[in-house]
Amino acid sequence: MLINDLALFVRVADCGNISAAAAEMDISAASASAAIKRLEKQLDTSLFIRTTRSLRLTVQGERYLIHCRRALSDLALGEQAIASDKGKISGTLSLSVSSDFGRNLFVPWLDEFLLDFPQLQVRLHLGDNISSFYHDKIDVAVRYGKPQDSNQVAFPLCSVDRVLCASPEYLAEFGVPDSLEQLIEHNCLFYKLDERTHDQWQFRRDGQEYKVRVTGNRSANDAEIARRWAVAGKGLVFKSSLDLADDLISGRLVRLLPDYQGEPVDLYLVCPGREHVTPVVLLLREMLRQRTQALSKSLGQILAVKNLKI
C-alpha cells in the first residue's frame, strides 16, 4: 500500500472531487482515479459512492479516513521528530489567526520566529471567522475562547480583559463618560462574528456583573476595522487589551471607566487533534506564551499608571 495513495484518498475526501485533489497534488486526474481504484482493490471495498454529479464517502470510507489521517499524521510527527533531533525544523505549517491579533502582533513575532527556522514555510490565514481545519487545511489556529469541540487540543496562552477605549480626539469633542449608563449617549463601534453583533458589553466591579446594551452607527465583520474606526475618532470600542496594546501604549486610544473590569478573554493555540501537536507547534506555543504574557504584564503596568491621569 503506497503512502501517496493514502494521502490522495484523504485529499479526495476533503475536496469531494478527484480532479481538485489531483490538481492540489500535482498529478493527473486519471492517475488520481487509478490510485483510488488501486486502494479500493487492496482493501476489497468501495471507499466512495460515485454519481455523475457528486462523490461522497461510503460508511467504510468514513471509517477508513479516520485511520488514514492518524497514520499520515504519525508519519509526519516521526519526520518532524527526526528533524527536531537534528536541530532542523522544516516543512509547511498552515496557521489561522484572528484579524487584529494577527496583523498587529502575530505577524512581527512570526517574522522573528522564522529567522530561527529558515527551512520552515508558513501559510497564514487572517480573519475573525473560524476557519475549518479540514476544509481550509489548517494545522493550528490562534483564537480567543476555548473551542467547544472536545477532539481539538487547546493550549492556553494568556488571559486578558476587554477594555473600553476611545481616541483623545473623540473624547475632546463628545466628552468622557463617567458611568456605564452614559455609554448609551455615545457612538459605539461593533464587530460581527458568526452572525452575532457584539453590542452587549459586560463589565465587573467589586464582584458585581453589569451588562450594557449599546448603540452605534458602524459595524464590521472584521474586528480590526472597529479598532481603526476608534483610532480615527469615530466612537468607543470594547476589545481585548492585547488587540489594542500598541494604541494604548502610544496614547492613540485612552482607556475609559478603569474602575470597571471588562469581560475576560482567554487566548488559545488550537490544533484539530492531538496528532497535529508537532514539535514546531510546541515551539510556536512557547514563543506565543512568552510574548503574550510579557506584553499583558507590561500593558497592565502602563494602564495602571495612565488610569491615575484619567
Side-chain angles (χ1 to χ4, degrees):
M1 190 172 293
L2 299 176
I3 294 175
N4 287 343
D5 289 356
L6 298 182
L8 175 65
F9 165 64
V10 171
R11 288 310 310 138
V12 172
D14 289 343
C15 295
N17 184 287
I18 289 181
S19 297
E24 288 188 6
M25 299 188 69
D26 197 25
I27 62 175
S28 69
S31 296
S33 181
I36 295 298
K37 290 179 181 178
R38 181 168 57 244
L39 187 58
E40 289 179 322
K41 183 177 180 181
Q42 290 174 320
L43 295 170
D44 192 26
T45 191
S46 295
L47 298 173
F48 294 99
I49 298 173
R50 301 166 176 83
T51 69
T52 55
R53 295 184 178 181
S54 67
L55 183 75
R56 60 187 177 87
L57 288 166
T58 61
V59 173
Q60 292 80 6
E62 290 177 349
R63 293 173 180 168
Y64 192 59
L65 179 62
I66 296 172
H67 297 284
C68 276
R69 290 195 196 279
R70 186 177 301 140
L72 292 171
S73 296
D74 285 344
L75 288 172
L77 278 173
E79 293 173 1
Q80 287 278 9
I82 292 173
S84 180
D85 289 341
K86 293 179 178 179
K88 297 179 181 179
I89 293 291
S90 60
T92 301
L93 185 68
S94 182
L95 299 154
S96 174
V97 186
S98 59
S99 178
D100 260 8
F101 179 81
R103 288 185 175 92
N104 300 316
L105 295 175
F106 183 76
V107 168
W109 294 346
L110 179 63
D111 289 340
E112 295 184 27
F113 183 78
L114 290 175
L115 289 176
D116 293 330
F117 307 105
Q119 297 185 52
L120 179 66
Q121 299 179 22
V122 298
R123 293 190 297 110
L124 183 60
H125 300 249
L126 285 179
D128 292 315
N129 291 320
I130 298 176
S131 299
S132 167
F133 280 109
Y134 295 120
H135 182 268
D136 298 324
K137 295 182 287 184
I138 301 297
D139 298 314
V140 62
V142 182
R143 292 292 175 197
Y144 287 109
K146 191 172 184 178
Q148 300 299 313
D149 190 339
S150 60
N151 293 318
Q152 296 177 0
V153 180
F155 296 105
L157 299 176
C158 73
S159 182
V160 296
D161 287 339
R162 288 189 172 91
V163 289
L164 178 66
C165 303
S167 71
E169 294 77 14
Y170 176 88
L171 297 175
E173 183 175 355
F174 298 100
V176 180
D178 57 19
S179 68
L180 292 179
E181 290 75 17
Q182 288 188 6
L183 295 186
I184 62 174
E185 301 172 10
H186 287 266
N187 192 48
C188 297
L189 307 168
F190 309 132
Y191 51 95
K192 187 176 183 179
L193 301 180
D194 299 322
E195 302 304 317
R196 174 175 169 252
T197 300
H198 289 251
D199 58 355
Q200 180 172 271
W201 295 351
Q202 295 182 230
F203 300 87
R204 308 185 312 278
R205 183 181 181 181
D206 299 329
Q208 185 77 24
E209 291 192 357
Y210 303 86
K211 294 182 180 180
V212 182
R213 181 78 66 181
V214 293
T215 59
N217 67 351
R218 295 170 188 246
S219 175
N221 66 346
D222 187 329
E224 161 77 357
I225 300 303
R227 183 194 68 82
R228 292 188 183 189
W229 280 334
V231 172
K234 306 303 181 184
L236 277 56
V237 70
F238 187 53
K239 284 178 54 60
S240 159
S241 58
L242 278 182
D243 291 347
L244 304 176
D246 287 344
D247 301 313
L248 290 164
I249 292 170
S250 67
R252 290 189 295 267
L253 291 178
V254 176
R255 185 183 180 185
L256 305 173
L257 301 177
D259 291 337
Y260 290 87
Q261 285 183 289
E263 184 181 5
V265 286
D266 298 320
L267 188 67
Y268 287 89
L269 184 75
V270 184
C271 293
R274 189 157 297 280
E275 65 274 12
H276 289 80
V277 183
T278 62
V280 67
V281 167
L282 295 177
L283 289 168
L284 184 67
R285 177 195 64 178
E286 292 311 307
M287 181 274 286
L288 286 172
R289 276 182 176 172
Q290 294 175 13
R291 295 277 193 167
T292 55
Q293 291 178 14
L295 179 58
S296 179
K297 183 178 179 180
S298 298
L299 188 59
Q301 293 171 346
I302 290 170
L303 289 176
V305 173
K306 290 191 175 184
N307 284 345
L308 299 178
K309 301 178 181 179
I310 295 176

